[in-house]
Amino acid sequence: MYFVLAALRAGPLHGHAISKSVKELSGGRVQPSVGTLYGILERLNERGVIAVDREETVNGRNRRYFRITDEGQALVEAEARRMHEAAQLVLHPST
């Protein structure tokens, strides 16, 4: 979920673009299947941290674009700060 929110900080994206961005942002470590990705998007949408920005039809297929909400932005920033603090405990332990 973290990488999905991080990907959407760049602006509205559709599912395939989100998947590519997640893979890129994670250095290839995170590659959710289509079903997993859409499950994540559904849960994030239900929680109000992302929203449908718009829908388009491309080559006869519906394409839904998602955007991060203000609540989602605050959530991903708080998580980034928490992970940074946790990493500091390992990288710079108190002596």
Side-chain angles (χ1 to χ4, degrees):
M1 287 187 182
Y2 177 81
F3 285 108
V4 169
L5 292 173
L8 291 173
R9 292 181 71 228
L13 297 171
H14 58 81
H16 183 68
I18 294 170
S19 183
K20 285 176 56 176
S21 183
V22 164
K23 183 178 178 182
E24 182 179 308
L25 289 170
S26 71
R29 295 182 321 269
V30 179
Q31 299 178 50
S33 68
V34 172
T36 298
L37 176 63
Y38 280 94
I40 291 168
L41 292 171
E42 185 176 314
R43 286 190 299 281
L44 292 174
N45 190 42
E46 288 170 356
R47 294 177 186 169
V49 295
I50 68 169
V52 174
D53 185 71
R54 67 185 184 279
E55 294 186 32
E56 297 177 347
T57 301
V58 178
N59 297 325
R61 299 178 66 189
N62 290 334
R63 184 176 284 177
R64 182 176 288 172
Y65 287 78
F66 296 90
R67 64 175 172 77
I68 194 168
T69 63
D70 291 341
E71 183 179 341
Q73 183 72 30
L75 181 72
V76 75
E77 289 174 3
E79 183 64 9
R81 282 190 296 276
R82 187 193 68 74
M83 287 190 298
H84 178 75
E85 291 168 5
Q88 293 305 310
L89 295 173
V90 174
L91 298 173
H92 305 288
S94 300
T95 54

